[in-house]
Amino acid sequence: MSRNVLILAATALALTGAGTAHAADWGLPAYQDTIFKPAYPIDYEQPDPLTFEAGVRYWYAMGSHSMSAAGSTFSSADQSHIIEGHLRIDDHSTSSYLKAIAGYAAVIEGTYDVGGGTQTTSSGHIAYAGADFGMQTFGSDQFRLGAFAGYHYWRDNPYMGRAGYMTETGAGASEPNALDIHALRLGLSARSELGNNVDFSVEGAVVPYAWITGTYGAMGIPDFGGYTQGSEVTLNGHLYGAMGEAMIGFRPTQNMLIRAGARAWYLTGQADYEFTMRDPVNPGDAQRYIGQTTGLEYFRWGPVLELTASF
């Protein structure tokens, strides 16, 4: 029995020696580089490909609107103070981003003219919201360039008065302007990191199609054919235009950004306007009419200030 044990022990020592000799021939410990990989450092952490920005903006927005219809010209001009929230998510693994904005005018001051002379206004509704998805696939770590597509909702209705009309019962009524714009945005965007504390971004978009719809309550229709205006005027049409923005930012701390810049939005096009005329003696006797606007335009621009957290 002891003889067999000695034989097994000698065989094991021989095999071990052969393995060591084989490794020595290559100048490496056995199996070090063919099977095992070195471990990550204890403090190693896989970087997150997603970064987020969220914050608020103040836009001093100067707007104007004009339109001709039914033999009259309608126009407005205002200076509005708009508070806006924004969010941006960047996926650095695919060089893509998603951003969203929403804004509302806290104060509106301006003038309007609906054919009876210039009037002042300090009310109404200006609001917007939208989202863009983009890919900035060209450039380097310091400069990225790409394209984006998005949707933009815009309600631009400073108060312009209310035209009275007769209802089916013979009573009087009126409505304010309540027009909504739904726009498609296609554009290019660029972003540059100027060192660790400064960045610059710019974007320009064409709006190949925008749908405008709603009530143009400020529009009055003169009596004709013995009939009087018997409803509010509604608009339904198509616009096109462009939108642009440029911002420069400073990073006072690692997770805070202060930016300043300017933006401009412009849309123009044509819409159908519709209204009802009634017999003032017999209000139930009514006819519907349709016409087309000319010179329909919306323009809004001004400086923007931003305070943003990044994480």
Side-chain angles (χ1 to χ4, degrees):
M1 178 67 68
S2 60
R3 185 177 183 181
N4 292 336
V5 170
L6 289 174
I7 292 172
L8 289 173
T11 303
L13 288 173
L15 290 174
T16 303
T20 304
H22 177 74
D25 291 341
W26 291 93
L28 296 171
Y31 310 116
Q32 175 175 318
D33 289 337
T34 57
I35 297 178
F36 300 105
K37 293 183 178 180
Y40 290 115
I42 295 176
D43 60 351
Y44 175 82
E45 185 176 338
Q46 184 71 24
D48 189 343
L50 298 180
T51 58
F52 299 81
E53 289 186 3
V56 294
R57 293 179 180 138
Y58 164 71
W59 185 16
Y60 180 68
M62 294 167 279
S64 64
H65 157 67
S66 62
M67 180 187 76
S68 295
S72 299
T73 298
F74 307 88
S75 63
S76 68
D78 69 275
Q79 302 80 43
S80 298
H81 304 271
I82 297 178
I83 303 301
E84 175 184 310
H86 74 96
L87 171 69
R88 178 177 173 126
I89 305 173
D90 282 273
D91 183 352
H92 299 283
S93 65
T94 60
S95 298
S96 63
Y97 69 88
L98 176 68
K99 72 168 191 175
I101 62 171
Y104 186 81
V107 178
I108 301 172
E109 298 289 343
T111 60
Y112 66 90
D113 186 347
V114 294
T118 301
Q119 306 289 325
T120 61
T121 183
S122 59
S123 61
H125 298 281
I126 300 173
Y128 55 85
D132 296 330
F133 175 76
M135 300 281 290
Q136 292 183 323
T137 54
F138 303 100
S140 62
D141 291 340
Q142 289 73 40
F143 176 80
R144 306 298 301 177
L145 174 68
F148 67 88
Y151 163 78
H152 187 80
Y153 166 79
W154 184 11
R155 169 167 279 205
D156 200 306
N157 296 308
Y159 182 75
M160 295 177 62
R162 301 160 67 122
Y165 60 88
M166 180 180 290
T167 67
E168 187 176 4
T169 63
S174 64
E175 298 288 342
N177 284 7
L179 294 163
D180 298 317
I181 298 171
H182 304 270
L184 170 66
R185 286 163 41 94
L186 302 174
L188 298 175
S189 65
R191 201 169 197 183
S192 178
E193 299 288 339
L194 308 177
N196 294 325
N197 297 322
V198 179
D199 67 15
F200 178 75
S201 60
V202 61
E203 68 176 33
V206 296
V207 180
Y209 178 84
W211 175 39
I212 182 169
T213 184
T215 300
Y216 204 103
M219 184 174 172
I221 305 297
D223 293 354
F224 64 86
Y227 282 67
T228 191
Q229 183 172 345
S231 74
E232 74 279 15
V233 177
T234 59
L235 289 188
N236 195 335
H238 311 297
L239 307 175
Y240 61 91
M243 297 178 171
E245 178 179 292
M247 301 285 286
I248 187 167
F250 171 69
R251 190 184 297 272
T253 67
Q254 181 179 359
N255 299 110
M256 180 177 290
L257 284 158
I258 300 172
R259 292 190 176 104
R263 67 159 63 118
W265 300 344
Y266 176 75
L267 294 176
T268 186
Q270 190 176 64
D272 293 335
Y273 63 92
E274 296 187 44
F275 58 94
T276 297
M277 299 296 287
R278 298 186 185 279
D279 182 346
V281 178
N282 181 17
D285 180 7
Q287 296 185 36
R288 193 71 174 168
Y289 291 85
I290 187 169
Q292 284 192 329
T293 66
T294 59
L296 178 57
E297 292 184 336
Y298 285 92
F299 182 46
R300 190 161 294 280
W301 71 282
V304 180
L305 294 176
E306 174 186 319
L307 179 62
T308 290
S310 62
F311 48 94

